[in-house]
Amino acid sequence: MDKDNMHHHHTGKSHKSCVSLVPIFNHLEDEQLDEIKEATQSVSYKKNELIYHAGDESDSLYIINKGKVRIYRLAESGKEQLVRILNPGDFTGEMALFSESTHESYAEAMVNTKICLIKRSDLQEFLVKYPSVSLKVIAEFSNRLEASEKQTTRFSTEKVETRIALYLAESLDQEGTGTIELTLSMSKKDLASYLGTTPETISRKFNDLEERGYIKQITHKRIKIVDLDGLLLV
């Protein structure tokens, strides 16, 4: 089906907010942002709709303006492996910046989502014109590489409860100092896929950790860390 007929394209104000929202652009001057805005188109996706498939040609940067997107891969067995979840200000399709390629993963809208698209040729022009944008993109690449290497190491060396414990400790850290509560950034199903296990195991391990006095499950997604030191030694 032709995407143009399927999705609702927007013009005007929404781009500016989209471009200025993204850490790779938000440090630019207004007139530079306006220039980037001109090269941007806005597309809406419904909940559970695929934004791109593995194997599709990759020729644009996708910036999340509103909503939430899950990036996942399929193993040869057909099993899903969650790579990351993107929120407003995050982007995907970055491999298109440097070479003509195809997507290796799937991007799916988790809720109704609005995305800004910038074509490779336009973006490459901006990277040359505004070196600060290039540096921000490289910094984001290096963060993703580090996260990916960390995840690979965990899968091969750590028990599931250790993976969960480290994930919880890192989530706590992101909420700032002093808080001993956190909200899970994804569902137990997605967390299971992200940590390389099953939803049933995740639920069981959470209950185990609670029984052992390390955490308290306040609601389905809200967790209180009762004994952080103990948790990190699991």
Side-chain angles (χ1 to χ4, degrees):
M1 192 185 282
D2 181 3
K3 274 191 178 171
D4 289 342
N5 296 333
M6 208 160 125
H7 303 302
H8 182 48
H9 290 252
H10 307 268
T11 50
K13 281 193 300 193
S14 63
H15 297 343
K16 175 115 186 224
S17 62
C18 183
V19 169
S20 55
L21 192 69
V22 193
I24 58 172
F25 296 133
N26 64 9
H27 57 291
L28 296 174
E29 301 297 322
D30 277 355
E31 59 198 60
Q32 297 170 335
L33 285 173
D34 284 339
E35 191 186 340
I36 293 173
K37 182 183 78 174
E38 289 304 310
T40 306
Q41 67 174 134
S42 183
V43 194
S44 296
Y45 294 87
K46 294 265 184 288
K47 182 181 177 178
N48 298 333
E49 195 175 347
L50 278 176
I51 296 158
Y52 58 72
H53 299 67
D56 284 355
E57 186 193 345
S58 165
D59 67 351
S60 300
L61 187 74
Y62 298 76
I63 299 166
I64 318 306
N65 186 3
K66 286 185 180 146
K68 210 171 198 179
V69 172
R70 60 200 290 268
I71 307 292
Y72 64 91
R73 292 183 175 221
L74 289 182
E76 282 175 22
S77 62
K79 195 168 178 235
E80 225 177 75
Q81 167 64 58
L82 182 71
V83 178
R84 70 178 70 91
I85 287 179
L86 303 175
N87 292 301
D90 293 334
F91 61 84
T92 183
E94 63 281 354
M95 289 312 177
L97 305 187
F98 303 108
S99 61
E100 293 186 20
S101 62
T102 53
H103 290 292
E104 292 188 357
S105 50
Y106 296 79
E108 179 192 2
M110 297 172 74
V111 293
N112 289 349
T113 295
K114 205 149 108 188
I115 282 182
C116 298
L117 285 179
I118 306 182
K119 287 268 179 279
R120 179 199 299 123
S121 50
D122 291 322
L123 198 52
Q124 283 178 338
E125 222 174 274
F126 296 135
L127 293 177
V128 172
K129 204 167 176 185
Y130 306 124
S132 59
V133 174
S134 300
L135 291 173
K136 296 264 184 183
V137 170
I138 291 166
E140 177 58 27
F141 267 36
S142 103
N143 289 342
R144 288 186 185 185
L145 183 60
E146 189 186 351
S148 167
E149 287 175 348
K150 205 188 267 184
Q151 198 176 4
T152 307
T153 309
R154 280 185 188 174
F155 277 19
S156 57
T157 60
E158 286 157 3
K159 301 177 304 196
V160 176
E161 45 269 74
T162 310
R163 290 179 220 162
I164 293 172
L166 290 170
Y167 172 80
L168 291 175
E170 281 167 9
S171 302
L172 189 65
D173 202 23
Q174 287 163 4
E175 292 209 1
T177 52
T179 48
I180 49 157
E181 287 185 17
L182 61 103
T183 302
L184 294 178
S185 61
M186 54 185 97
S187 67
K188 297 253 175 81
K189 179 172 175 281
D190 281 333
L191 185 57
S193 172
Y194 186 66
L195 296 178
T197 184
T198 63
E200 296 74 30
T201 303
I202 288 279
S203 293
R204 197 171 66 246
K205 297 292 183 190
F206 268 65
N207 292 338
D208 285 352
L209 291 171
E210 184 162 32
E211 277 169 31
R212 290 159 69 187
Y214 297 129
I215 66 170
K216 183 165 177 46
Q217 298 178 80
I218 299 166
T219 63
H220 190 55
K221 281 197 143 184
R222 192 81 186 151
I223 309 285
K224 180 176 184 177
I225 307 290
V226 181
D227 176 5
L228 184 58
D229 294 339
L231 184 66
L232 290 173
L233 292 172
V234 163

